[in-house]
């Protein structure tokens, strides 16, 4: 198949991010033409001026629409795009020069209708960005589910760096209204439709998350809330591994009570785990401050996800609540 790539990028009030991403696209080491589709999702600080400034460097189009969430905006962009293979990126990503060559090589040698690539931290990122990147990508914390050759379970591409063929998009209808959680939901529906997914290790992006501790907690809290909803929609995908952050945090609390009561064994196990996290983060980042921040990032990650997961599980399993009525903040109309 002759591959014609269209990048789909939803954006909401982040023109500076778009400028960095488009600059990296202009520097791609790729000889064939490709398309860039920017979808402004009801922003009050639009990126049109930035987009227009790249009209001479990229085959780029810009669309403004009412705010309806990233999933619907990606669908809108794919409907407008002219290519036969869509690559979906978050606006806070930066591409390395070899990105499209890696994708082209992977799909040419063994075609698949949906792929995903990993995210990593650039050397220019802040210490906080590097620590949160570690928490979100390390095998120690996520089992490699966001992008490793060896991961827990079948690989589920994430929409910060995801490719999908036009055929698969038309067959499935694209992303749903839930957010976050729209990317694993689409992946599961792709599997049901008979399409496979693949991890392309070399197609990584630098994921420059504009984030703080409070924003990070809120993000992983919502991740935890969406998983039980996805488990209800797709019961065959339910796994015990999704319980691990909740069990980790519950065990940590009990271990602290036992430690205060004079029983230090379980607290020692948790201490050993955080030492492993520190050493692993230190090895990967070569920075003591980032290693310390990574330990805290993992604690925030597990706490936020675990709390959201328990809250949503109670609503789904015990109360038998309707997801959209119980958690309307997770859905766009």
């Amino acid at each position: 198949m002759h591959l014609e790539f269209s990048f789909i990028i939803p954006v909401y009030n982040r023109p500076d991010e778009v400028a960095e991403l488009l600059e990296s696209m202009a520097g791609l080491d790729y000889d064939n033409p490709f398309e860039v589709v920017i979808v402004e999702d009801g922003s009050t600080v639009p990126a049109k001026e930035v987009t227009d400034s790249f009209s001479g460097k990229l085959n780029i189009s810009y669309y403004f629409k009412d705010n309806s969430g990233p999933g619907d905006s990606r669908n809108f962009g794919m409907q407008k795009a002219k290519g036969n293979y869509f690559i979906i990126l978050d606006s806070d990503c930066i591409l390395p020069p070899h990105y499209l060559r890696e994708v082209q090589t992977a799909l040419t040698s063994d075609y698949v209708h949906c792929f995903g690539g990993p995210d990593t931290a650039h050397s220019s990122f802040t210490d906080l960005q590097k620590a949160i990147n570690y928490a979100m990508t390390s095998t120690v914390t996520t089992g490699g589910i966001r992008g490793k050759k060896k991961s827990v379970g079948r690989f589920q591409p994430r929409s910060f760096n995801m490719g999908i063929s036009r055929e698969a998009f038309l067959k499935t209808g694209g992303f749903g209204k839930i957010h976050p959680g729209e990317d694993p939901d689409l992946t599961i529906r792709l599997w049901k439709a008979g399409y496979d997914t693949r991890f392309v290790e070399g197609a990584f992006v630098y994921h420059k998350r504009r984030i703080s501790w409070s924003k990070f907690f809120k993000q992983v809290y919502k991740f935890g809330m969406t998983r039980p909803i996805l488990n209800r929609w797709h019961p065959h995908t339910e796994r015990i591994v999704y319980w691990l952050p909740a069990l980790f945090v519950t065990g940590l609390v009990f271990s602290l009570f036992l430690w205060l009561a004079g029983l230090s064994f379980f607290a020692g196990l948790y201490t050993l785990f955080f030492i492993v996290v520190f050493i692993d983060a230190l090895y990967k980042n070569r920075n003591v401050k980032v290693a310390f921040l990574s330990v805290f990032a993992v604690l925030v990650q597990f706490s936020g996800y675990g709390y959201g997961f328990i809250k949503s599980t109670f609503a789904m399993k015990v109360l038998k609540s309707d997801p959209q009525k119980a958690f309307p903040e997770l859905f766009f109309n």
Side-chain angles (χ1 to χ4, degrees):
M1 173 183 286
H2 175 65
L3 293 168
E4 299 173 351
F5 293 113
S6 293
F7 285 100
I8 312 298
I9 306 157
V11 59
Y12 181 72
N13 287 341
R14 292 184 173 183
D16 291 342
E17 283 184 356
V18 174
E20 288 184 298
L21 174 54
L22 294 180
E23 190 64 47
S24 71
M25 287 181 165
L28 286 173
D29 180 15
Y30 187 71
D31 294 330
N32 298 323
F34 60 89
E35 177 188 25
V36 180
V37 179
I38 303 293
V39 181
E40 193 87 67
D41 187 25
S43 300
T44 56
V45 185
K48 188 176 190 311
E49 185 176 340
V50 169
T51 303
D52 288 345
S53 70
F54 282 87
S55 60
K57 301 178 182 178
L58 297 166
N59 175 20
I60 192 167
S61 55
Y62 172 91
Y63 298 94
F64 186 96
K65 53 178 280 298
D66 292 338
N67 180 250
S68 60
D72 187 60
S73 296
R74 297 180 191 115
N75 292 344
F76 180 93
M78 287 186 279
Q79 290 166 356
K80 297 292 185 181
K82 298 178 178 63
N84 59 18
Y85 210 103
F86 309 129
I87 300 178
I88 300 156
L89 301 172
D90 279 356
S91 62
D92 59 355
C93 291
I94 301 171
L95 300 183
H98 67 267
Y99 179 88
L100 262 187
R101 283 192 288 106
E102 290 286 341
V103 174
Q104 172 84 32
T105 300
L107 295 180
T108 301
S109 62
D110 189 9
Y111 186 81
V112 67
H113 283 275
C114 181
F115 78 88
D119 57 339
T120 189
H122 192 271
S123 59
S124 65
F125 286 9
T126 67
D127 291 340
L128 175 59
Q129 287 171 326
K130 291 176 181 177
I132 290 177
N133 178 80
Y134 172 84
M136 295 294 284
T137 62
S138 172
T139 303
V140 175
T141 58
T142 64
I145 196 170
R146 288 176 61 90
K148 296 288 181 183
K149 274 188 174 180
K150 297 180 179 179
S151 63
V152 177
R154 198 172 178 184
F155 177 63
Q156 299 181 18
R158 293 296 191 265
S159 54
F160 63 83
N161 181 13
M162 176 182 186
I164 180 173
S165 70
R166 176 180 289 276
E167 176 188 321
F169 165 66
L170 294 174
K171 183 72 174 289
T172 60
F175 294 93
K177 295 292 187 180
I178 192 171
H179 177 71
E182 71 274 19
D183 31 13
D185 172 61
L186 174 55
T187 297
I188 296 165
R189 289 188 285 109
L190 284 165
W191 294 339
K192 288 181 178 179
Y195 297 110
D196 200 5
T197 56
R198 184 182 307 133
F199 174 63
V200 180
E201 185 176 25
F204 65 84
V205 299
Y206 299 112
H207 203 172
K208 195 172 186 178
R209 298 177 179 89
R210 315 288 190 180
I211 206 160
S212 63
W213 289 119
S214 60
K215 289 179 180 178
F216 182 49
F217 180 87
K218 184 177 181 180
Q219 181 185 54
V220 293
Y221 165 69
K222 285 187 173 182
F223 287 161
M225 290 176 72
T226 59
R227 181 52 64 177
I229 297 173
L230 296 176
N231 290 343
R232 173 184 283 190
W233 291 349
H234 313 286
H236 66 286
T237 65
E238 192 166 0
R239 299 287 186 272
I240 189 64
V241 68
Y242 298 136
W243 281 88
L244 292 182
L247 295 174
F248 179 92
V249 174
T250 303
L252 178 60
V253 172
F254 277 107
S255 72
L256 292 175
F257 279 115
L258 291 173
W259 177 69
L260 292 173
L263 184 61
S264 60
F265 175 75
F266 294 102
L269 292 179
Y270 277 93
T271 301
L272 178 61
F273 170 77
F274 285 121
I275 290 174
V276 170
V277 169
F278 176 85
I279 293 173
D280 187 47
L282 180 62
Y283 172 76
K284 291 177 177 176
N285 290 281
R286 302 293 197 273
N287 186 305
V288 173
K289 181 180 178 182
V290 172
F292 276 116
L293 290 174
S294 296
V295 172
F296 187 69
V298 170
L299 183 59
V300 172
Q301 179 189 37
F302 283 10
S303 299
Y305 187 100
Y307 172 52
F309 185 87
I310 291 172
K311 181 178 178 179
S312 182
T313 297
F314 183 79
M316 296 300 104
K317 299 278 191 181
V318 180
L319 300 180
K320 308 296 183 182
S321 302
D322 176 82
Q324 288 188 253
K325 292 181 180 178
F327 306 113
E329 67 272 24
L330 299 179
F331 295 87
F332 284 90
N333 295 322

